[in-house]
């Protein structure tokens, strides 16, 4: 069975600090997808990034960057120069790839509450 | 705005009652997923429908049921409600590809059972 572990329950940083959120996953599949979602205080889940298991290139999007390491089954998320608006719960999720249209569900980690202090 | 619409946003009811949560997926998305988010269980997958047919079941209680209608909207029915059913219920949709496509979540329906 697939599993996602986010060991950091809560992280608190001061604005402009860099912060890394850890995500470790378990799956027996060779083809899978990893995701990060953000849940701000308003409650909605906002998609941030998707990465497939064959693409280990790191990705940068503005202040956000993601480090995917298959060897350690990790998919970590770094926010550079954090801002107060980054305060949210961040979820890492795993999906096993199956044929199109078939069942596919996300397994979520328990989330990391990030608080950025002014 | 994800394009997924959920109603109602908030719902307060009593134990033993029955409620229906409604979801309209993004235009063109054939798959609908229901998730439950509670403090003790986190985000749990409940059930998935694809073009009207049930495709996968997760940790959904027998007191809960869902369906997807021909216009692709979906409803989650929760009956014989218990205090522990209080949670945020999310609906999500994805396009026909399923494979690797991200799920787009609605804003959730917050259910409080008193």
């Amino acid at each position: 069975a697939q599993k996602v572990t986010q060991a950091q329950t809560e992280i608190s940083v001061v604005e402009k600090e860099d912060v890394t959120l850890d995500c470790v996953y378990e799956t027996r599949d060779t083809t899978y997808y990893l995701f990060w979602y953000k849940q701000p205080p308003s409650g909605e889940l906002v998609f941030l990034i998707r990465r497939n298991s064959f693409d280990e290139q790191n990705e940068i999007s503005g202040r956000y960057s993601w480090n995917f390491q298959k060897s350690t089954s990790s998919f970590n998320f770094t926010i550079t120069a954090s801002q107060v608006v980054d305060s949210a719960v961040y979820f890492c999720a795993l999906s096993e790839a199956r044929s199109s249209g078939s069942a596919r569900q996300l397994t979520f980690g328990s989330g990391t509450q990030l608080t950025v202090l002014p | 705005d994800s394009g997924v619409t959920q109603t109602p946003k908030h719902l307060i009811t009593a134990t033993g009652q029955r409620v229906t949560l409604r979801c309209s997926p993004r235009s063109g998305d054939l798959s609908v997923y229901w998730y439950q988010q509670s403090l003790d269980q986190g985000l749990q997958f409940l059930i998935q429908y694809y073009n009207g047919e049930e495709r996968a079941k997760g940790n959904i209680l027998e007191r809960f049921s869902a369906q997807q209608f021909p216009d692709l909207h979906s409803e989650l029915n929760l009956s014989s409600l218990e205090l522990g059913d209080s949670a945020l219920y999310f609906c999500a949709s994805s396009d026909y590809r399923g494979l690797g496509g991200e799920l787009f979540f609605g804003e959730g329906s917050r259910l409080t059972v008193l």
Side-chain angles (χ1 to χ4, degrees):
Chain A
Q2 50 187 5
K3 183 180 176 182
V4 177
T5 301
Q6 295 180 255
Q8 304 152 308
T9 306
E10 295 181 25
I11 299 176
S12 185
V13 298
V14 178
E15 206 170 19
K16 297 184 184 175
E17 286 184 354
D18 299 346
V19 58
T20 295
L21 310 181
D22 298 333
C23 172
V24 174
Y25 62 91
E26 295 175 29
T27 178
R28 287 178 292 186
D29 281 11
T30 55
T31 303
Y32 51 88
Y33 290 81
L34 295 162
F35 302 80
W36 276 94
Y37 281 84
K38 173 182 179 180
Q39 187 175 36
S42 51
E44 73 273 23
L45 282 165
V46 178
F47 165 76
L48 294 178
I49 191 172
R50 171 187 62 238
R51 172 67 68 223
N52 75 57
S53 53
F54 296 111
D55 181 3
E56 289 194 67
Q57 278 193 330
N58 292 329
E59 182 159 338
I60 298 174
S61 175
R63 297 183 296 106
Y64 295 171
S65 63
W66 290 269
N67 183 348
F68 176 32
Q69 292 199 336
K70 216 167 174 178
S71 59
T72 57
S73 298
S74 65
F75 186 42
N76 296 336
F77 174 29
T78 297
I79 301 175
T80 303
S82 59
Q83 300 176 0
V84 172
V85 293
D86 295 327
S87 296
V89 180
Y90 290 85
F91 291 94
C92 181
L94 168 68
S95 170
E96 294 168 332
R98 302 183 190 182
S99 57
S100 175
S102 182
R104 183 182 61 81
Q105 63 201 59
L106 295 181
T107 297
F108 284 87
S110 55
T112 297
Q113 169 71 61
L114 173 65
T115 302
V116 181
L117 303 169
Chain B
D1 184 358
S2 66
V4 178
T5 304
Q6 288 187 249
T7 57
K9 284 189 169 46
H10 300 275
L11 190 55
I12 300 174
T13 188
T15 54
Q17 295 298 305
R18 172 190 169 94
V19 299
T20 297
L21 310 180
R22 194 179 192 278
C23 170
S24 294
R26 290 189 321 156
S27 176
D29 283 357
L30 299 179
S31 278
V32 169
Y33 306 76
W34 286 97
Y35 281 81
Q36 179 195 58
Q37 184 179 30
S38 61
L39 282 175
D40 54 344
Q41 297 289 328
L43 269 162
Q44 297 279 317
F45 168 70
L46 296 179
I47 198 164
Q48 179 209 359
Y49 281 84
Y50 175 77
N51 203 19
E53 293 185 5
E54 181 185 304
R55 284 302 177 118
K57 258 185 175 179
N59 301 317
I60 188 166
L61 299 171
E62 284 191 11
R63 300 183 285 108
F64 296 179
S65 65
Q67 54 183 328
Q68 186 179 27
F69 295 87
D71 67 352
L72 301 178
H73 92 271
S74 177
E75 292 181 357
L76 179 67
N77 300 296
L78 315 174
S79 61
S80 302
L81 286 168
E82 302 175 359
L83 295 178
D85 298 327
S86 295
L88 186 55
Y89 291 85
F90 284 107
C91 170
S93 72
S94 68
D95 63 24
Y96 74 96
R97 291 175 299 170
L99 181 69
E102 63 268 30
L103 270 58
F104 293 90
F105 284 82
E107 295 184 348
S109 292
R110 184 168 296 280
L111 173 65
T112 302
V113 182
L114 300 176

